Amino acid sequence: MKKYILLVFLLLALKSTEAQSDTSFWFAAPDVDIVNNPTFGQYDRPIYLRLTSFNSSPTNVSVSIPANIAFTPINITIPANSSSTINLTTWIDLIENSQPDIITNKGIHIQSSADITAYYEVNSISCLCNPELFSLKGKNAIG
């Protein structure tokens, strides 16, 4: 009986690792407070997308904000079984949603040619800390 429980547990654990990989992600980035600490400076910059590929061939990734023509889509190729980082700090005002309870045109869309994982990260250089990290879920987040 213990063997069957262990087998079910392992199968469920493997399934949960697939939950974060997909070829399409949507994300609305929240506004992270600047904090402007006199010692450490701003806590809300830089912001990054961390992308990881699993395919045995290079994966093409496109990052866009479809509802905002001021944002030029970013296209990169991630080598097989590798990670890549996109610095989005330049576009922070186009990305962060600073007005609560208001629908805006700031949704980020990430598309790839093969399964990837994606993380949105606020990584403050001034305090050498990581105030926020969001794991993007793909179609599993939609339901």
Side-chain angles (χ1 to χ4, degrees), residues 26-84:
W26 282 95
F27 181 65
D31 184 25
V32 177
D33 273 345
I34 292 174
V35 177
N36 260 341
N37 185 304
T39 305
F40 298 114
Q42 296 180 336
Y43 285 178
D44 72 332
R45 293 157 210 256
I47 56 174
Y48 299 115
L49 275 179
R50 309 273 188 191
L51 309 168
T52 302
S53 70
F54 303 104
N55 205 350
S56 58
S57 61
T59 303
N60 297 316
V61 179
S62 173
V63 178
S64 63
I65 301 177
N68 191 339
I69 59 171
F71 184 86
T72 304
I74 300 168
N75 297 301
I76 65 166
T77 300
I78 305 172
N81 298 309
S82 299
S83 294
S84 185

Side-chain angles (χ1 to χ4, degrees), residues 27-32 44 46-51 86 88-89 91-92 95-97 108 110 117-123 130 132-136:
F27 181 65
D31 184 25
V32 177
D44 72 332
I47 56 174
Y48 299 115
L49 275 179
R50 309 273 188 191
L51 309 168
I86 300 174
L88 297 174
T89 310
W91 303 281
I92 195 167
I95 292 172
E96 285 190 345
N97 290 281
I108 299 171
I110 303 165
T117 60
Y119 293 87
Y120 178 86
E121 179 180 8
V122 179
N123 187 348
N130 180 319
E132 300 289 342
L133 178 68
F134 300 90
S135 172
L136 308 186

Side-chain angles (χ1 to χ4, degrees), residues 1 6 11-12 14 27 29 49 62-63 66 80 82 90 93 95 107 111 124-126 132 135 138:
M1 181 67 174
L6 180 61
L11 289 174
L12 290 174
L14 290 174
F27 181 65
L49 275 179
S62 173
V63 178
S82 299
T90 305
D93 293 329
I95 292 172
Q111 290 181 293
S124 178
I125 292 173
S126 56
E132 300 289 342
S135 172

